[in-house]
Amino acid sequence: VEGRYRMVRNGMASETPFSVFAGSGENGSFRQGLTTIGPKIRWAPNKRWPNFSVQSAFWIPLGDSLSGSSTEPYLDWDGSIWWTQFFNDFSIGSRWSLFTEIDVLWEDIGSAQQGRINRVSTPVTVIATYLPRWDWSVYGLVGYSPYWQSPFDWFGQAGVGVKHQFTRKVELELLYTGFTNRNLVENDGRAQTINLGLRVNVGN
């Protein structure tokens, strides 16, 4: 079972990504909370392909008006979400690897009479990783996601990241991405994300 906890802040363009931890402040509206919960499973369907796996999750929304209003920012979809991902890894020599992911994502599931849009997309992601030594890795990624709706829409991103393993079970990761979509292109806009993650393996 997996849940999603989100924090969203609408603020000034000059603010940093860390401004979300300051709450609403004077210049923006702010929301946070546990937005969805649901089951997730992952399996390897073919023993002859040890690096190929499939993961599927179904998230049920928690709360009302998650998609926002004239006074509240978007936090999550008001309908359920079904996300199936296909993963595969390829080793290229001793220091390079290539990761590929193809997804089927169905968002805001529900009745159109209740305002659900039932948006379906098929994201594709490719990540090339270089390992200068066992505890460091540097990678670049590109992704493209068409939204099969009318009118047709899309989302694209590219980024670079670095990971450091302090031990075999503790890893720190920093990722920067720039992304765009049809709306940003038409309005000469741009957007970016900065992601910082700490991964701890509690297994054997």
Side-chain angles (χ1 to χ4, degrees), residues 18 68 120 138:
F18 300 103
V120 177
V138 181

Side-chain angles (χ1 to χ4, degrees), residues 2 26 49 51 62 108 116 126 130 138 145 149 167 172 178:
E2 181 178 88
E26 298 180 357
W49 304 340
N51 294 331
L62 302 174
D108 204 22
R116 306 287 75 79
V126 178
Y130 173 67
V138 181
S145 177
Q149 60 188 40
T167 70
L172 185 68

Side-chain angles (χ1 to χ4, degrees), residues 96-118:
W96 287 89
S97 66
L98 189 67
F99 169 84
T100 60
E101 177 183 341
I102 301 175
D103 305 346
V104 178
L105 178 58
W106 184 7
E107 299 171 293
D108 204 22
I109 301 171
S111 169
Q113 285 73 24
Q114 295 180 337
R116 306 287 75 79
I117 68 171
N118 292 284

Side-chain angles (χ1 to χ4, degrees), residues 2-20:
E2 181 178 88
R4 299 202 298 189
Y5 188 94
R6 289 186 162 185
M7 302 172 66
V8 175
R9 171 188 165 98
N10 289 344
M12 304 295 290
S14 58
E15 295 179 359
T16 73
F18 300 103
S19 297
V20 69

